[in-house]
Coordinates of all heavy atoms in Angstrom, one line a residue:
A14 N 0.8 -1.2 0.0 CA 0.0 0.0 0.0 C 0.9 1.3 0.0 O 1.9 1.3 0.6 CB -0.9 0.0 1.2
I15 N 0.4 2.2 -0.7 CA 1.2 3.5 -0.8 C 0.9 4.4 0.4 O -0.3 4.5 0.8 CB 0.8 4.3 -2.1 CG1 1.2 3.4 -3.3 CG2 1.4 5.7 -2.1 CD1 0.8 4.0 -4.6
R16 N 1.9 4.9 1.0 CA 1.8 5.7 2.2 C 2.0 7.2 1.8 O 2.7 7.4 0.8 CB 2.8 5.3 3.3 CG 2.6 3.9 3.8 CD 3.7 3.4 4.7 NE 5.0 3.6 4.1 CZ 6.1 4.3 4.6 NH1 6.0 4.8 5.8 NH2 7.2 4.5 3.9
I17 N 1.5 8.1 2.6 CA 1.7 9.5 2.3 C 3.2 9.9 2.4 O 3.7 10.7 1.6 CB 0.8 10.4 3.2 CG1 0.7 11.8 2.5 CG2 1.3 10.5 4.6 CD1 -0.5 12.6 3.0
D18 N 3.9 9.2 3.2 CA 5.4 9.4 3.3 C 6.1 9.0 2.0 O 7.1 9.7 1.6 CB 6.0 8.5 4.4 CG 5.5 9.0 5.8 OD1 5.3 10.2 6.0 OD2 5.4 8.2 6.7
D19 N 5.6 8.0 1.3 CA 6.2 7.6 0.0 C 5.9 8.8 -1.0 O 6.8 9.1 -1.8 CB 5.5 6.3 -0.5 CG 5.7 5.2 0.4 OD1 6.7 5.0 1.0 OD2 4.7 4.4 0.5
I20 N 4.7 9.3 -1.0 CA 4.4 10.4 -1.9 C 5.3 11.6 -1.6 O 5.9 12.2 -2.5 CB 2.9 10.7 -1.8 CG1 2.1 9.6 -2.3 CG2 2.6 12.0 -2.5 CD1 0.6 9.6 -1.9
L21 N 5.4 12.0 -0.3 CA 6.2 13.1 0.0 C 7.7 12.9 -0.4 O 8.3 13.9 -0.9 CB 6.2 13.4 1.5 CG 4.9 14.1 2.0 CD1 4.9 14.1 3.5 CD2 4.9 15.5 1.5
E22 N 8.2 11.7 -0.2 CA 9.6 11.5 -0.6 C 9.8 11.8 -2.1 O 10.8 12.5 -2.4 CB 10.0 10.1 -0.3 CG 11.4 9.7 -0.6 CD 11.8 8.3 -0.2 OE1 11.2 7.7 0.7 OE2 12.8 7.8 -0.8
I23 N 9.0 11.3 -2.9 CA 9.1 11.4 -4.4 C 8.9 12.9 -4.8 O 9.6 13.5 -5.6 CB 8.2 10.5 -5.2 CG1 8.6 9.0 -4.9 CG2 8.2 10.8 -6.6 CD1 10.0 8.6 -5.4
V24 N 7.8 13.5 -4.3 CA 7.5 14.9 -4.6 C 8.6 15.8 -4.2 O 9.1 16.7 -4.9 CB 6.2 15.3 -4.0 CG1 5.9 16.8 -4.2 CG2 5.0 14.5 -4.7
C25 N 9.1 15.6 -2.9 CA 10.2 16.5 -2.4 C 11.5 16.3 -3.3 O 12.2 17.3 -3.6 CB 10.5 16.2 -1.0 SG 9.2 16.8 0.1
R26 N 11.8 15.1 -3.6 CA 13.0 14.8 -4.4 C 12.8 15.5 -5.8 O 13.8 16.1 -6.3 CB 13.1 13.3 -4.6 CG 14.5 12.9 -5.2 CD 14.7 11.4 -5.4 NE 14.3 10.7 -4.2 CZ 14.0 9.4 -4.2 NH1 13.9 8.7 -5.3 NH2 13.7 8.8 -3.0
H27 N 11.6 15.4 -6.4 CA 11.4 16.0 -7.7 C 11.5 17.6 -7.7 O 12.1 18.2 -8.6 CB 10.0 15.6 -8.2 CG 9.7 16.2 -9.6 ND1 10.1 15.6 -10.7 CD2 9.0 17.3 -9.9 CE1 9.7 16.3 -11.8 NE2 9.0 17.3 -11.3
F28 N 11.0 18.2 -6.6 CA 11.0 19.6 -6.6 C 12.1 20.2 -5.7 O 12.2 21.4 -5.6 CB 9.6 20.1 -6.0 CG 8.5 20.0 -7.0 CD1 7.6 18.9 -6.9 CD2 8.3 20.9 -8.0 CE1 6.6 18.7 -7.8 CE2 7.3 20.7 -8.9 CZ 6.4 19.6 -8.8
G29 N 13.0 19.4 -5.2 CA 14.1 19.9 -4.3 C 13.6 20.6 -3.1 O 14.2 21.5 -2.6
A30 N 12.5 20.1 -2.5 CA 11.9 20.6 -1.3 C 12.2 19.7 -0.1 O 12.6 18.5 -0.3 CB 10.4 20.9 -1.4
K31 N 11.9 20.1 1.1 CA 12.0 19.3 2.3 C 10.6 19.0 2.8 O 9.7 19.8 2.6 CB 12.8 20.0 3.4 CG 14.3 20.3 3.0 CD 15.0 21.0 4.2 CE 16.5 21.1 3.9 NZ 16.8 22.4 3.3
V32 N 10.5 17.8 3.3 CA 9.2 17.4 3.9 C 8.7 18.4 4.9 O 7.5 18.8 4.8 CB 9.3 16.0 4.5 CG1 8.0 15.6 5.3 CG2 9.6 14.9 3.5
G33 N 9.5 18.9 5.7 CA 9.1 19.9 6.7 C 8.5 21.1 6.1 O 7.6 21.8 6.6
E34 N 9.1 21.5 4.9 CA 8.5 22.7 4.2 C 7.1 22.5 3.7 O 6.3 23.3 3.8 CB 9.4 23.0 3.0 CG 10.8 23.6 3.4 CD 11.7 23.8 2.2 OE1 11.7 23.0 1.3 OE2 12.4 24.8 2.3
L35 N 6.8 21.3 3.2 CA 5.5 21.0 2.7 C 4.5 20.9 3.8 O 3.3 21.1 3.6 CB 5.5 19.7 1.9 CG 6.3 19.7 0.6 CD1 6.0 18.5 -0.2 CD2 6.2 20.9 -0.2
Q36 N 5.0 20.5 5.0 CA 4.1 20.4 6.2 C 4.0 21.7 7.0 O 3.3 21.8 7.9 CB 4.6 19.3 7.1 CG 4.4 17.9 6.4 CD 4.9 16.8 7.3 OE1 6.0 16.9 7.8 NE2 4.2 15.7 7.4
S37 N 4.8 22.7 6.6 CA 4.8 24.0 7.3 C 3.7 24.9 6.9 O 2.9 24.6 6.0 CB 6.1 24.7 7.0 OG 6.1 25.3 5.7
K38 N 3.6 26.0 7.5 CA 2.5 27.0 7.2 C 3.0 28.0 6.1 O 2.2 28.8 5.7 CB 2.2 27.9 8.5 CG 1.6 27.1 9.6 CD 0.2 26.6 9.3 CE -0.4 25.9 10.5 NZ -1.7 25.3 10.2
R39 N 4.2 27.8 5.6 CA 4.7 28.7 4.5 C 3.8 28.6 3.3 O 3.3 27.6 3.0 CB 6.1 28.3 4.1 CG 7.1 28.7 5.2 CD 8.6 28.4 4.8 NE 8.9 29.0 3.5 CZ 9.8 28.5 2.7 NH1 10.5 27.5 3.0 NH2 10.0 29.1 1.5
R40 N 3.6 29.8 2.7 CA 2.7 29.9 1.6 C 3.4 30.5 0.3 O 2.8 30.9 -0.6 CB 1.5 30.8 1.9 CG 0.7 30.0 3.0 CD -0.4 30.9 3.5 NE -1.3 31.5 2.5 CZ -2.3 32.2 2.7 NH1 -2.7 32.5 3.9 NH2 -3.0 32.7 1.7
S41 N 4.8 30.4 0.3 CA 5.5 30.8 -0.9 C 5.2 29.8 -2.1 O 5.0 28.6 -1.8 CB 7.0 30.9 -0.7 OG 7.5 29.6 -0.4
Q42 N 5.1 30.3 -3.3 CA 4.8 29.5 -4.4 C 5.7 28.3 -4.6 O 5.3 27.2 -5.0 CB 4.8 30.3 -5.7 CG 4.2 29.6 -6.9 CD 2.8 29.2 -6.7 OE1 2.0 29.8 -6.0 NE2 2.4 28.0 -7.3
S43 N 7.0 28.4 -4.2 CA 7.9 27.3 -4.3 C 7.6 26.2 -3.4 O 8.0 25.0 -3.6 CB 9.3 27.8 -4.0 OG 9.5 28.2 -2.7
I44 N 6.8 26.4 -2.4 CA 6.3 25.4 -1.5 C 4.9 25.0 -1.7 O 4.5 23.8 -1.7 CB 6.5 25.9 0.0 CG1 7.9 26.2 0.3 CG2 5.9 24.8 1.0 CD1 8.9 25.0 0.1
V45 N 4.0 26.0 -2.1 CA 2.6 25.7 -2.3 C 2.4 24.7 -3.4 O 1.6 23.8 -3.3 CB 1.8 27.0 -2.5 CG1 0.4 26.8 -3.0 CG2 1.8 27.9 -1.2
F46 N 3.1 24.9 -4.5 CA 2.8 24.1 -5.7 C 3.2 22.6 -5.4 O 2.3 21.8 -5.7 CB 3.6 24.7 -6.9 CG 3.4 24.0 -8.2 CD1 2.1 23.9 -8.7 CD2 4.4 23.3 -8.9 CE1 1.9 23.3 -10.0 CE2 4.2 22.7 -10.0 CZ 3.0 22.7 -10.6
P47 N 4.4 22.3 -4.9 CA 4.6 20.9 -4.6 C 3.7 20.3 -3.5 O 3.3 19.2 -3.6 CB 6.1 20.8 -4.2 CG 6.6 22.2 -4.1 CD 5.6 23.1 -4.8
R48 N 3.3 21.2 -2.6 CA 2.4 20.7 -1.5 C 1.0 20.4 -2.2 O 0.4 19.3 -1.8 CB 2.2 21.9 -0.5 CG 1.2 21.5 0.6 CD 0.9 22.7 1.5 NE 2.0 23.2 2.2 CZ 2.4 24.4 2.4 NH1 1.6 25.4 1.8 NH2 3.4 24.8 3.0
Q49 N 0.5 21.2 -3.1 CA -0.7 20.9 -3.7 C -0.6 19.6 -4.6 O -1.6 18.8 -4.6 CB -1.2 22.1 -4.6 CG -1.6 23.2 -3.8 CD -2.0 24.5 -4.6 OE1 -1.5 24.7 -5.7 NE2 -2.8 25.3 -4.1
I50 N 0.5 19.4 -5.2 CA 0.7 18.2 -6.0 C 0.7 17.0 -5.1 O 0.1 16.0 -5.4 CB 2.0 18.2 -6.8 CG1 1.8 19.2 -8.0 CG2 2.4 16.9 -7.4 CD1 3.0 19.5 -8.8
A51 N 1.4 17.1 -3.9 CA 1.4 16.0 -3.0 C 0.0 15.7 -2.4 O -0.4 14.5 -2.3 CB 2.4 16.3 -1.9
M52 N -0.8 16.7 -2.2 CA -2.2 16.5 -1.7 C -3.0 15.8 -2.8 O -3.7 14.9 -2.5 CB -2.8 17.9 -1.4 CG -2.3 18.5 -0.2 SD -3.2 20.1 0.0 CE -2.5 20.7 1.6
F53 N -2.8 16.2 -4.0 CA -3.5 15.6 -5.1 C -3.1 14.1 -5.3 O -4.0 13.3 -5.4 CB -3.2 16.4 -6.4 CG -3.8 15.8 -7.7 CD1 -5.2 16.1 -7.9 CD2 -3.1 15.0 -8.5 CE1 -5.8 15.6 -9.1 CE2 -3.7 14.5 -9.7 CZ -5.1 14.8 -9.9
L54 N -1.9 13.8 -5.2 CA -1.4 12.5 -5.3 C -1.9 11.6 -4.1 O -2.2 10.4 -4.3 CB 0.1 12.4 -5.5 CG 0.7 13.0 -6.8 CD1 2.2 13.1 -6.8 CD2 0.2 12.1 -8.0
A55 N -1.9 12.2 -2.9 CA -2.3 11.5 -1.7 C -3.8 11.1 -1.9 O -4.2 10.0 -1.5 CB -2.1 12.4 -0.5
R56 N -4.6 12.0 -2.5 CA -6.0 11.7 -2.7 C -6.2 10.6 -3.8 O -7.0 9.7 -3.7 CB -6.8 13.0 -3.1 CG -8.2 12.8 -3.2 CD -8.8 12.4 -1.9 NE -10.3 12.4 -2.0 CZ -11.1 11.9 -1.1 NH1 -10.6 11.4 0.1 NH2 -12.4 12.0 -1.2
Q57 N -5.3 10.6 -4.8 CA -5.4 9.7 -5.9 C -4.9 8.3 -5.5 O -5.5 7.3 -6.0 CB -4.6 10.2 -7.1 CG -5.0 11.5 -7.7 CD -6.4 11.4 -8.3 OE1 -6.7 10.5 -9.1 NE2 -7.3 12.3 -8.0
L58 N -3.9 8.2 -4.7 CA -3.2 7.0 -4.5 C -3.4 6.3 -3.1 O -2.9 5.3 -2.8 CB -1.7 7.2 -4.7 CG -1.2 7.8 -6.1 CD1 0.2 8.1 -6.1 CD2 -1.6 6.8 -7.1
T59 N -4.1 7.0 -2.2 CA -4.3 6.5 -0.9 C -5.8 6.5 -0.6 O -6.6 7.1 -1.3 CB -3.6 7.3 0.2 OG1 -4.2 8.5 0.4 CG2 -2.1 7.5 -0.1
E60 N -6.2 5.9 0.5 CA -7.6 5.9 1.0 C -7.8 7.0 2.0 O -8.9 7.0 2.7 CB -7.9 4.5 1.6 CG -7.8 3.4 0.6 CD -8.8 3.4 -0.5 OE1 -10.0 3.8 -0.2 OE2 -8.4 3.2 -1.7
L61 N -6.9 7.9 2.2 CA -7.0 8.9 3.2 C -8.2 9.9 2.9 O -8.4 10.2 1.8 CB -5.7 9.7 3.4 CG -4.5 8.9 3.9 CD1 -3.3 9.8 3.8 CD2 -4.7 8.4 5.3
S62 N -8.8 10.3 4.0 CA -9.9 11.3 3.8 C -9.3 12.7 3.6 O -8.1 12.9 3.8 CB -10.8 11.4 5.1 OG -10.0 12.0 6.2
L63 N -10.1 13.7 3.2 CA -9.6 15.0 3.0 C -9.1 15.6 4.3 O -8.0 16.3 4.2 CB -10.8 15.9 2.4 CG -11.4 15.5 1.1 CD1 -12.6 16.4 0.8 CD2 -10.3 15.6 0.0
G64 N -9.8 15.3 5.4 CA -9.3 15.8 6.7 C -8.0 15.2 7.1 O -7.1 15.9 7.6
E65 N -7.8 13.9 6.8 CA -6.5 13.3 7.1 C -5.4 13.9 6.3 O -4.3 14.1 6.8 CB -6.6 11.8 6.9 CG -7.5 11.1 7.9 CD -7.8 9.7 7.6 OE1 -8.0 9.3 6.3 OE2 -8.0 8.8 8.5
I66 N -5.6 14.1 5.0 CA -4.6 14.7 4.1 C -4.3 16.1 4.6 O -3.1 16.4 4.8 CB -5.1 14.7 2.7 CG1 -5.2 13.3 2.1 CG2 -4.1 15.5 1.8 CD1 -5.9 13.1 0.8
G67 N -5.3 16.9 4.9 CA -5.0 18.3 5.4 C -4.3 18.3 6.7 O -3.3 19.1 6.9
G68 N -4.6 17.3 7.6 CA -3.9 17.2 8.9 C -2.4 16.9 8.7 O -1.6 17.4 9.4
F69 N -2.1 16.1 7.7 CA -0.8 15.7 7.4 C 0.1 16.9 6.9 O 1.3 17.0 7.1 CB -0.7 14.5 6.5 CG 0.6 13.8 6.5 CD1 0.8 12.8 7.4 CD2 1.6 14.1 5.6 CE1 2.0 12.2 7.4 CE2 2.8 13.5 5.6 CZ 3.0 12.5 6.5
F70 N -0.6 17.8 6.2 CA 0.1 19.0 5.7 C -0.1 20.2 6.5 O -0.7 21.2 6.1 CB -0.4 19.2 4.2 CG 0.1 18.2 3.3 CD1 -0.7 17.1 2.9 CD2 1.3 18.3 2.7 CE1 -0.3 16.1 2.1 CE2 1.8 17.4 1.8 CZ 1.0 16.3 1.5
G71 N 0.3 20.1 7.8 CA 0.3 21.2 8.7 C -1.0 21.6 9.3 O -1.3 22.8 9.6
G72 N -1.9 20.6 9.4 CA -3.2 20.9 10.0 C -4.1 21.7 9.2 O -5.0 22.4 9.7
R73 N -4.0 21.6 7.9 CA -4.9 22.3 7.0 C -6.3 21.8 7.0 O -6.5 20.6 7.1 CB -4.3 22.4 5.6 CG -3.1 23.3 5.5 CD -2.4 23.3 4.2 NE -1.5 24.4 4.2 CZ -0.4 24.5 4.8 NH1 0.0 23.6 5.6 NH2 0.4 25.6 4.7
D74 N -7.2 22.6 6.8 CA -8.7 22.3 6.7 C -9.0 21.5 5.5 O -8.3 21.6 4.4 CB -9.5 23.6 6.7 CG -10.9 23.4 6.9 OD1 -11.4 23.1 8.0 OD2 -11.6 23.4 5.9
H75 N -10.0 20.7 5.5 CA -10.4 19.9 4.3 C -10.7 20.7 3.1 O -10.5 20.3 2.0 CB -11.5 18.9 4.6 CG -12.9 19.5 4.6 ND1 -13.3 20.3 5.7 CD2 -13.8 19.6 3.7 CE1 -14.5 20.7 5.4 NE2 -14.8 20.3 4.2
S76 N -11.2 21.9 3.4 CA -11.5 22.8 2.2 C -10.3 23.3 1.5 O -10.3 23.5 0.3 CB -12.3 24.1 2.7 OG -11.6 24.8 3.6
T77 N -9.2 23.4 2.2 CA -7.9 23.7 1.6 C -7.5 22.6 0.6 O -7.0 22.8 -0.5 CB -6.8 24.0 2.6 OG1 -7.2 25.0 3.5 CG2 -5.5 24.3 2.0
V78 N -7.7 21.3 1.1 CA -7.4 20.2 0.3 C -8.3 20.1 -1.0 O -7.8 19.9 -2.1 CB -7.5 18.9 1.1 CG1 -7.1 17.7 0.2 CG2 -6.6 18.9 2.3
V79 N -9.6 20.4 -0.8 CA -10.5 20.4 -1.9 C -10.0 21.5 -2.9 O -10.0 21.2 -4.2 CB -11.9 20.8 -1.5 CG1 -12.8 21.0 -2.6 CG2 -12.5 19.6 -0.6
Y80 N -9.6 22.6 -2.5 CA -9.1 23.7 -3.4 C -7.9 23.2 -4.2 O -7.8 23.4 -5.4 CB -8.8 24.9 -2.6 CG -8.1 26.0 -3.4 CD1 -8.9 26.9 -4.2 CD2 -6.7 26.2 -3.5 CE1 -8.3 27.8 -5.0 CE2 -6.2 27.2 -4.3 CZ -7.0 28.0 -5.0 OH -6.4 28.9 -5.8
A81 N -7.0 22.6 -3.5 CA -5.8 22.0 -4.1 C -6.1 21.0 -5.2 O -5.6 21.0 -6.3 CB -4.8 21.5 -3.1
L82 N -7.0 20.1 -4.8 CA -7.4 19.0 -5.7 C -8.1 19.6 -7.0 O -7.8 19.2 -8.1 CB -8.4 18.0 -5.1 CG -7.9 17.3 -3.8 CD1 -9.0 16.4 -3.3 CD2 -6.7 16.5 -4.1
D83 N -9.0 20.6 -6.8 CA -9.6 21.2 -7.9 C -8.6 21.9 -8.8 O -8.7 21.8 -10.1 CB -10.7 22.2 -7.5 CG -11.9 21.5 -6.9 OD1 -12.1 20.3 -7.0 OD2 -12.7 22.2 -6.2
K84 N -7.7 22.6 -8.2 CA -6.7 23.4 -9.0 C -5.8 22.4 -9.8 O -5.5 22.7 -11.0 CB -5.9 24.2 -8.0 CG -4.9 25.2 -8.7 CD -4.3 26.1 -7.7 CE -3.3 27.0 -8.4 NZ -2.6 27.9 -7.5
M85 N -5.4 21.4 -9.2 CA -4.5 20.4 -9.9 C -5.2 19.7 -11.0 O -4.7 19.5 -12.1 CB -3.9 19.4 -8.9 CG -3.0 20.0 -7.8 SD -1.5 20.8 -8.5 CE -2.0 22.6 -8.4
E86 N -6.5 19.3 -10.7 CA -7.3 18.6 -11.8 C -7.5 19.5 -13.0 O -7.4 19.1 -14.1 CB -8.6 18.2 -11.2 CG -9.4 17.2 -12.1 CD -8.6 16.0 -12.5 OE1 -8.0 15.3 -11.7 OE2 -8.6 15.7 -13.8
R87 N -7.9 20.8 -12.7 CA -8.1 21.8 -13.8 C -6.8 21.9 -14.6 O -6.8 21.9 -15.9 CB -8.5 23.1 -13.3 CG -10.0 23.2 -12.9 CD -10.4 24.7 -12.7 NE -9.6 25.4 -11.8 CZ -9.7 25.5 -10.5 NH1 -10.7 24.8 -9.9 NH2 -8.9 26.2 -9.7
R88 N -5.7 22.1 -13.9 CA -4.4 22.3 -14.6 C -4.0 21.0 -15.4 O -3.5 21.1 -16.5 CB -3.3 22.6 -13.6 CG -2.0 22.9 -14.3 CD -1.0 23.5 -13.4 NE 0.3 23.7 -14.2 CZ 1.3 24.4 -13.7 NH1 1.2 24.9 -12.5 NH2 2.4 24.5 -14.4
R89 N -4.3 19.9 -14.8 CA -4.0 18.6 -15.5 C -4.8 18.5 -16.9 O -4.3 18.0 -17.8 CB -4.4 17.4 -14.6 CG -3.8 16.1 -15.1 CD -4.1 15.0 -14.1 NE -3.3 13.9 -14.4 CZ -3.4 12.7 -13.8 NH1 -4.2 12.6 -12.7 NH2 -2.7 11.7 -14.1
R90 N -6.0 19.0 -16.9 CA -6.8 18.9 -18.1 C -6.3 19.9 -19.2 O -6.5 19.6 -20.4 CB -8.3 19.3 -17.8 CG -9.0 18.1 -17.1 CD -10.5 18.3 -17.2 NE -11.0 19.5 -16.5 CZ -11.4 19.6 -15.2 NH1 -11.4 18.5 -14.5 NH2 -11.7 20.7 -14.6
V91 N -5.7 21.0 -18.8 CA -5.3 22.0 -19.9 C -3.8 22.0 -20.2 O -3.4 22.6 -21.2 CB -5.8 23.4 -19.5 CG1 -7.3 23.4 -19.4 CG2 -5.2 23.9 -18.2
D92 N -3.0 21.4 -19.3 CA -1.6 21.5 -19.5 C -1.0 20.1 -19.6 O -0.9 19.4 -18.7 CB -1.0 22.2 -18.2 CG 0.5 22.4 -18.3 OD1 1.2 21.8 -19.1 OD2 1.0 23.2 -17.5
S93 N -0.7 19.7 -20.9 CA -0.2 18.4 -21.1 C 1.1 18.1 -20.5 O 1.3 16.9 -20.0 CB -0.2 18.1 -22.6 OG 0.7 19.0 -23.3
D94 N 2.0 19.0 -20.4 CA 3.3 18.8 -19.7 C 3.0 18.5 -18.2 O 3.7 17.7 -17.6 CB 4.2 20.1 -19.8 CG 4.7 20.2 -21.2 OD1 4.7 19.3 -22.0 OD2 5.1 21.4 -21.6
F95 N 2.1 19.3 -17.6 CA 1.8 19.0 -16.2 C 1.2 17.6 -16.0 O 1.6 16.9 -15.1 CB 0.8 20.1 -15.7 CG 0.4 19.9 -14.3 CD1 1.3 20.2 -13.2 CD2 -0.8 19.5 -13.9 CE1 1.0 20.0 -11.9 CE2 -1.2 19.3 -12.6 CZ -0.3 19.6 -11.6
S96 N 0.3 17.2 -16.9 CA -0.3 15.9 -16.9 C 0.8 14.8 -16.9 O 0.7 13.8 -16.2 CB -1.3 15.8 -18.0 OG -1.9 14.5 -17.9
V97 N 1.8 15.0 -17.8 CA 2.9 14.1 -17.9 C 3.7 14.0 -16.6 O 4.1 13.0 -16.1 CB 3.8 14.4 -19.1 CG1 5.1 13.6 -19.1 CG2 3.1 14.2 -20.4
T98 N 3.9 15.2 -16.0 CA 4.7 15.2 -14.7 C 3.9 14.5 -13.6 O 4.5 13.7 -12.9 CB 4.9 16.7 -14.3 OG1 5.7 17.4 -15.3 CG2 5.5 16.8 -12.9
I99 N 2.6 14.7 -13.5 CA 1.8 14.0 -12.5 C 1.9 12.4 -12.8 O 2.1 11.7 -11.9 CB 0.3 14.4 -12.6 CG1 0.2 15.9 -12.1 CG2 -0.6 13.5 -11.7 CD1 0.6 16.1 -10.6
S100 N 1.7 12.0 -14.0 CA 1.8 10.6 -14.4 C 3.2 10.0 -14.0 O 3.3 8.9 -13.5 CB 1.5 10.4 -15.8 OG 0.2 10.7 -16.1
D101 N 4.2 10.8 -14.3 CA 5.6 10.4 -14.0 C 5.8 10.2 -12.5 O 6.3 9.2 -12.0 CB 6.6 11.4 -14.5 CG 8.0 11.0 -14.2 OD1 8.4 9.9 -14.5 OD2 8.7 11.8 -13.6
L102 N 5.3 11.2 -11.7 CA 5.4 11.1 -10.2 C 4.6 9.9 -9.7 O 5.1 9.1 -8.9 CB 4.9 12.4 -9.6 CG 5.7 13.6 -9.8 CD1 5.0 14.9 -9.3 CD2 7.0 13.5 -9.0
E103 N 3.4 9.6 -10.3 CA 2.6 8.5 -9.8 C 3.4 7.2 -10.1 O 3.4 6.3 -9.3 CB 1.3 8.4 -10.6 CG 0.3 9.5 -10.1 CD -1.0 9.5 -11.0 OE1 -1.0 8.8 -12.1 OE2 -2.0 10.1 -10.6
N104 N 4.0 7.1 -11.3 CA 4.7 5.9 -11.7 C 5.9 5.7 -10.7 O 6.2 4.6 -10.3 CB 5.2 5.9 -13.1 CG 4.0 5.8 -14.1 OD1 3.0 5.2 -13.7 ND2 4.1 6.3 -15.3
R105 N 6.6 6.8 -10.5 CA 7.8 6.7 -9.6 C 7.4 6.3 -8.2 O 8.1 5.5 -7.5 CB 8.6 8.0 -9.6 CG 9.3 8.2 -10.9 CD 9.8 9.6 -11.1 NE 10.5 10.3 -10.1 CZ 10.8 11.6 -10.0 NH1 10.4 12.4 -11.0 NH2 11.4 12.1 -9.0
I106 N 6.3 6.7 -7.7 CA 5.8 6.4 -6.4 C 5.5 4.9 -6.4 O 5.9 4.1 -5.5 CB 4.6 7.2 -5.9 CG1 5.0 8.7 -5.7 CG2 3.9 6.6 -4.7 CD1 3.9 9.7 -5.7
R107 N 4.7 4.4 -7.4 CA 4.4 3.0 -7.4 C 5.6 2.1 -7.5 O 5.7 1.1 -6.9 CB 3.4 2.7 -8.6 CG 2.0 3.3 -8.4 CD 1.1 2.8 -9.5 NE -0.3 3.2 -9.2 CZ -0.9 4.2 -9.7 NH1 -0.3 5.0 -10.5 NH2 -2.1 4.5 -9.3
L108 N 6.6 2.5 -8.3 CA 7.8 1.7 -8.5 C 8.6 1.6 -7.1 O 9.1 0.6 -6.8 CB 8.7 2.3 -9.6 CG 8.3 2.0 -11.0 CD1 9.1 2.8 -12.0 CD2 8.3 0.5 -11.3
M109 N 8.6 2.8 -6.4 CA 9.3 2.8 -5.2 C 8.7 1.8 -4.2 O 9.3 1.1 -3.5 CB 9.4 4.2 -4.6 CG 10.2 4.3 -3.3 SD 10.2 6.0 -2.6 CE 8.5 6.0 -1.9
V110 N 7.3 1.9 -4.1 CA 6.6 1.0 -3.2 C 6.7 -0.4 -3.5 O 6.9 -1.3 -2.7 CB 5.1 1.5 -3.1 CG1 4.3 0.5 -2.3 CG2 5.0 2.9 -2.5
E111 N 6.7 -0.7 -4.8 CA 6.8 -2.1 -5.3 C 8.2 -2.7 -5.0 O 8.4 -3.8 -4.7 CB 6.5 -2.2 -6.8 CG 5.1 -2.1 -7.1 CD 4.8 -2.0 -8.6 OE1 5.8 -2.2 -9.4 OE2 3.7 -1.7 -9.0
G112 N 9.2 -1.7 -5.0 CA 10.6 -2.1 -4.8 C 10.9 -2.5 -3.3 O 11.9 -3.1 -3.0
N113 N 10.0 -2.0 -2.4 CA 10.2 -2.3 -1.0 C 9.7 -3.6 -0.5 O 8.8 -4.2 -0.9 CB 9.6 -1.2 -0.1 CG 10.4 0.1 -0.2 OD1 11.6 0.1 -0.6 ND2 9.8 1.2 0.1

């Protein structure tokens, strides 16, 4: 089973961020974007609820997670490069989990 820690590891490696930054209250774009991607992937790849995902990312409300999911889904539909990036991250996460 894919854990949120697995998702964070791959997303942080891809964006050069630290797990603590994605879980912090910081709202700079360099942190918000990978955080939103990690939230999106957590929703896609795990059975966690919106509240559980929000709690993992610095105690954010479920409405913040809904906003991130909507934003990432919209971008995925209109930006093919972004869609490829999301698919690549999903594949890397699955490969890492299968390798363990």
Side-chain angles (χ1 to χ4, degrees):
I15 296 172
R16 299 171 307 128
I17 200 161
D18 293 328
D19 303 321
I20 294 167
L21 280 172
E22 182 178 336
I23 295 296
V24 170
C25 286
R26 195 179 309 158
H27 181 81
F28 288 98
K31 294 183 174 94
V32 171
E34 291 175 321
L35 296 192
Q36 293 177 314
S37 75
K38 298 288 183 188
R39 287 185 53 204
R40 292 171 55 178
S41 64
Q42 190 59 32
S43 64
I44 300 304
V45 169
F46 185 61
R48 180 188 296 136
Q49 289 175 333
I50 289 175
M52 288 179 177
F53 179 79
L54 292 170
R56 186 64 172 169
Q57 299 295 312
L58 302 174
T59 72
E60 298 293 320
L61 296 174
S62 70
L63 298 173
E65 290 169 327
I66 293 169
F69 198 84
F70 289 94
R73 286 176 165 74
D74 189 80
H75 79 280
S76 62
T77 302
V78 180
V79 169
Y80 175 80
L82 299 179
D83 289 346
K84 187 173 180 181
M85 296 297 102
E86 190 57 50
R87 280 194 311 273
R88 182 164 179 176
R89 192 175 194 185
R90 283 196 298 266
V91 300
D92 183 343
S93 60
D94 289 339
F95 179 72
S96 185
V97 168
T98 298
I99 293 293
S100 295
D101 178 57
L102 289 169
E103 288 175 348
N104 290 333
R105 287 166 47 193
I106 291 162
R107 285 189 173 100
L108 285 172
M109 182 182 79
V110 170
E111 288 171 10
N113 286 342

